[in-house]
């Protein structure tokens, strides 16, 4: 998987190139274009079944986050998907590892399939 960030602060765009079988999670409604990619709507929860459904509903009610997330999978080597945030502003890469991030609602744009996240209400 490769990606390129362009457009700066005014018209940001992330172009992701996927090989066959590679997948990314994309915020619902962020896709601008695609080529040789299959799109599927998934429940916005790491759990399956009723627990996953209730978790997705809870996220939606408490944070305004969508119940669904888009999964994009490459159909062939060199498949591409262009994604952009709903609100203009620079796209930043956050490296995943031991460090954790606290993001505001709406800050998530996309990640590879290995990344998971939790929504928590601010106290």
């Amino acid at each position: 998987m490769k990606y390129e960030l362009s457009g700066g602060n005014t018209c940001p765009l992330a172009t992701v190139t996927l090989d066959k079988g590679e997948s990314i999670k994309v915020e619902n409604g962020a896709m601008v274009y695609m080529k040789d990619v299959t799109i599927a709507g998934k429940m916005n929860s790491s759990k399956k079944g009723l627990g996953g459904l209730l978790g997705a509903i809870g996220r939606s009610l408490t944070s305004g986050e969508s119940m669904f997330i888009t999964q994009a999978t490459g159909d062939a080597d060199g498949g591409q998907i262009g994604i952009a945030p709903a609100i203009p502003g620079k796209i930043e890469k956050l490296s995943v590892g031991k460090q954790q991030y606290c993001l505001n609602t709406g800050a998530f744009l996309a990640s590879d399939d290995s990344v998971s996240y939790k929504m928590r209400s601010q106290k």
Side-chain angles (χ1 to χ4, degrees):
M1 178 180 324
K2 297 175 190 160
Y3 68 93
E4 180 183 337
L5 302 178
S6 61
N9 291 331
T10 55
C11 297
L13 179 71
T15 302
V16 181
T17 303
L18 300 169
D19 286 335
K20 185 173 184 166
E22 285 184 320
S23 294
I24 62 169
K25 298 174 192 173
V26 179
E27 178 63 29
N28 206 21
M31 185 185 77
V32 177
Y33 68 89
M34 67 176 191
K35 175 187 153 228
D36 294 330
V37 171
T38 298
I39 301 297
K42 302 282 184 179
M43 195 68 62
N44 194 1
S45 176
S46 58
K47 298 177 185 175
K48 300 204 184 287
L50 184 58
L53 175 62
L54 293 175
I57 291 171
R59 282 182 173 185
S60 179
L61 292 175
T62 59
S63 69
E65 187 179 357
S66 175
M67 283 181 50
F68 300 97
I69 196 154
T70 302
Q71 182 175 20
T73 304
D75 289 337
D77 290 347
Q80 283 193 331
I81 182 169
I83 52 178
I87 300 170
K90 187 175 181 184
I91 299 172
E92 290 286 337
K93 171 192 169 189
L94 299 178
S95 297
V96 177
K98 290 183 181 181
Q99 183 175 358
Q100 295 182 2
Y101 300 95
C102 183
L103 304 174
N104 286 334
T105 301
F108 176 81
L109 182 63
S111 69
D112 70 28
D113 244 3
S114 69
V115 174
S116 63
Y117 63 95
K118 291 182 187 179
M119 291 297 297
R120 296 200 177 167
S121 298
Q122 187 174 6
K123 296 180 181 180

